[in-house]
Amino acid sequence: MELHLTRPLIFFDIESTGLQVSTDRIIELCYIKVMPDGTEKTVTQRFNPQIPIPAESTAVHGIHDEDVAQCPTFAEKAAQIAADFKHADLAGFNSNNFDIPLLYEEFVRAGVAIDLSNCRMIDVQNIFHKMEKRTLEAAYQFYCGKTLEDAHSAEADTRATYEVLKGQLDRYGAELQNDVTFLADFSRRNRNVDFAGRIVLDDNGTAVINFGKYRGKPVVETLRRDPGYYNWIMQGDFTQNTKQVFTKYKLLTKNN
């Protein structure tokens, strides 16, 4: 089943130096930009992360330091990538939890502004886990009847994710709507305010803290009652996006 799109949808996958969003770096990015008329643009780019690639990460994706030593840094390509992602929705496999937060961090580090506030985000892994609870390789075999060759290479995983979503629509046509807004909502685990899920919306639509001693407490109320908490967040090992969101709510406490 082909996707019904009202604006471009970008499927993307990242290979990185590790899994810590706040400190690790992108070393390979592949994205397939699918236009409403069905035409596609595929881009695969490697980057010099400017930090060593740990052996355990290389064991997963097969990329060594010497493979990217002569590649551009992400900062050198950030403006071009941001232009391609502008006014598009995003889709990936575990993308809401990892790829999107890490990509945003790289844009922040590069000093390139990108607005994802109106971007609809489809996490194909979340759809898969709600329906079948398996890995990408198993999903590719299950929905597409194919063996995933070159697993953990960014382009192979990206292409497989794109095909799996179409296969999910074919299989669950009675339950899944071929609509990006529906799929983004269905594949969302939490109502995150920041990408890392440190702040979420509760059942009443109030932004609450989702970790630590203030878990479940409204953000604005917490920042008003404990001004030092904001400083602790700013000095802590939190993502830049999380700090930006806390700053937004900090400003609300001042305005009120």
Side-chain angles (χ1 to χ4, degrees), residues 67-255:
D67 296 327
V68 294
Q70 303 304 316
C71 293
T73 64
F74 184 89
E76 291 176 284
K77 296 293 184 178
Q80 178 183 333
I81 296 169
D84 237 2
F85 277 54
K86 190 175 182 180
H87 302 312
D89 297 315
L90 299 179
F93 200 85
N94 193 34
S95 50
N96 287 0
N97 189 50
F98 178 71
D99 299 80
I100 290 174
L102 180 55
L103 182 66
Y104 189 86
E105 285 297 292
E106 288 282 34
F107 280 125
V108 171
R109 282 190 284 262
V112 173
I114 183 168
D115 183 7
L116 300 180
S117 59
N118 294 316
C119 176
R120 295 171 294 184
M121 304 171 186
I122 300 174
D123 194 322
V124 175
Q125 184 191 61
N126 288 346
I127 295 176
F128 182 40
H129 284 178
K130 287 182 178 183
M131 295 298 189
E132 303 295 342
K133 294 181 172 63
R134 299 187 185 174
T135 63
L136 177 57
E137 290 90 336
Y140 194 57
Q141 179 65 48
F142 185 82
Y143 292 110
C144 307
K146 304 175 184 177
T147 300
L148 179 55
E149 305 292 343
D150 298 324
H152 299 300
S153 71
E155 184 166 348
D157 288 358
T158 302
R159 175 66 61 180
T161 301
Y162 176 26
E163 293 186 32
V164 165
L165 178 57
K166 293 193 289 184
Q168 288 173 330
L169 289 169
D170 287 331
R171 180 173 290 268
Y172 308 118
E175 301 168 75
L176 297 180
Q177 297 177 25
N178 192 344
D179 175 80
V180 171
T181 297
F182 173 86
L183 294 170
D185 184 64
F186 186 85
S187 64
R188 184 181 299 116
R189 287 181 177 174
N190 299 309
R191 299 172 67 193
N192 290 357
V193 179
D194 65 320
F195 294 132
R198 297 292 190 171
I199 301 175
V200 299
L201 298 179
D202 66 12
D203 292 339
N204 298 317
T206 301
V208 299
I209 295 170
N210 195 36
F211 69 100
K213 64 180 182 179
Y214 291 126
R215 181 186 293 273
K217 300 294 184 181
V219 178
V220 173
E221 176 185 323
T222 301
L223 293 176
R224 184 181 294 117
R225 292 184 175 182
D226 184 357
Y229 185 68
Y230 173 77
N231 293 331
W232 178 76
I233 293 290
M234 292 300 104
Q235 296 168 10
D237 186 23
F238 296 96
T239 67
Q240 293 301 312
N241 173 247
T242 296
K243 292 179 180 180
Q244 288 174 346
V245 174
F246 267 102
T247 297
K248 181 184 74 171
Y249 286 106
K250 179 67 173 177
L251 292 174
L252 286 178
T253 66
K254 290 183 178 179
N255 293 337

Side-chain angles (χ1 to χ4, degrees), residues 13-18 25-30 44-49 51-71 150-155 157:
D13 185 69
I14 284 171
E15 303 301 337
S16 64
T17 57
R25 300 292 189 268
I26 296 174
I27 53 178
E28 186 173 56
L29 168 68
C30 175
T44 300
Q45 175 72 64
R46 285 186 173 183
F47 307 101
N48 183 339
I51 60 174
I53 302 173
E56 56 268 27
S57 297
T58 296
V60 174
H61 48 57
I63 302 173
H64 298 78
D65 290 327
E66 56 268 28
D67 296 327
V68 294
Q70 303 304 316
C71 293
D150 298 324
H152 299 300
S153 71
E155 184 166 348
D157 288 358

